[in-house]
Amino acid sequence: MIREYNNYSLLLHNTFGIDVKATRFVEYDTVDDLRELLTSGRIADPWLHIGSGSNLLFLGDFNGVVLHSHIHLIELLEETTDAVFVRVGSGVVWDDFVAYCVEHGWYGTENLSWIPGEVGASAVQNIGAYGVEVKDIIHSVATIDMNGNEQVYSLQECRYGYRHSIFKEPEMKNCIVTSVCFELSKKACFNLGYGSIAEELQKYPGEPTLATIRQVIVDIRKSKLPDPEVMGNAGSFFMNPVVKRTQYETLIQKYPEMPHYDVNEEWVKIPAAWMIDRCGWKGRAIGAAGVHDKQALVLINKGGAKGREVAALAQEIKKSVFDKFAVAIFPEVKFV
Ligand code: EPU
């Protein structure tokens, strides 16, 4: 089924809680519905496909068509002794899928618990947290283009990098993800090395289980990140920048306590949150746009903020980080 609405409020479709409208909002239930929409010429430029709007900042009304997938299938394609291959529709809420995997005893998604968003967008964005990226469990991604041609991209063809995939590249702008095939392990294989996961697990007696790890991750996230239902936000606003090792060496001499992660011999990743925090932004606000007081990488809507106010705050933050550290930071959030 296809549902279409005119002059439609996007307030409940962006986790920043920005009150803007789309000229048209179109939601579809199946790949066939989407093909019909695309090939009948009902979707003209400008159009935008959204998930749950957890990585978007609307700067104003969207004068065009906003598309949203309601493809809700979860289908077990193949099961071996060690693994399952599961096809999941682009419109499935990501965390519902994580809960489903945990219930079924499938390993791989648990560290990505409680990340807002939907499955289609997870594969575009290569969501990541606590030492895992979604690419680690993706087998392939099914897509459709504006002419209704379907194509499946193998993991390799998706060209995944940190918060990056081929689907973010400009030449792929006419390509819509319809479902994602995940390869999940049936054998316990936990990833407990990141941050305080192992320490937090001590609260649960006995061997770790999928359910306890999910709970620990949810608890850690809830302690650091604001709930979009309570306080508008889009998770990390900026990506963590990668700098040349020579620049890192200059920085670490000046700031010996600076956290960092080696990417390879040439590049080092520096947490943007740490730099923003050192610039004194944590808990500060300009108008209704603010910086979360528990995680400096998260910008918040303190109530009624306009997209442009959040963008202006982001610009100020970017400038002060550059002035202090000579490091350029770039938004993870897409401005529309
Ligand atoms: N830090 C500060 N001040 C702060 C927050 C953090 O100094 O206000 C320091 C921490 O002490 C730590 C470092 O910065 O040394 C990194 O902080 P954290 O571990 O909280 O992670 P992050 O790099 O800020 C990334 C992801 C998050 C993901 C976490 C956990 C990006 C852009 N963000 O954040 O992803 O949940 O790691 O794995 O890579 C998202 O993308 O929306 C997101 C929330």
Side-chain angles (χ1 to χ4, degrees), residues 288-320:
V291 180
H292 187 46
D293 57 3
K294 296 199 186 77
Q295 224 303 2
L297 201 51
V298 177
L299 302 196
I300 51 175
N301 176 355
K302 295 178 71 114
K306 301 270 181 248
R308 291 195 186 282
E309 282 179 87
V310 179
L313 172 64
Q315 189 55 35
E316 288 297 314
I317 292 172
K318 183 180 164 81
K319 185 175 177 308
S320 62

Side-chain angles (χ1 to χ4, degrees), residues 19-45:
D19 194 3
V20 289
K21 283 184 173 163
T23 314
R24 246 171 94 218
F25 184 85
V26 182
E27 194 168 59
Y28 55 88
D29 288 340
T30 65
V31 178
D32 287 342
D33 293 338
L34 177 57
R35 190 184 309 100
E36 185 193 318
L37 276 168
L38 298 174
T39 55
S40 62
R42 283 153 75 190
I43 307 302
D45 267 332

Side-chain angles (χ1 to χ4, degrees), residues 208-225:
T209 65
L210 279 171
T212 54
I213 290 171
R214 173 165 165 77
Q215 194 55 52
V216 161
I217 300 281
V218 171
D219 290 346
I220 297 175
R221 286 186 78 87
K222 282 190 174 171
S223 71
K224 287 189 178 179
L225 302 169

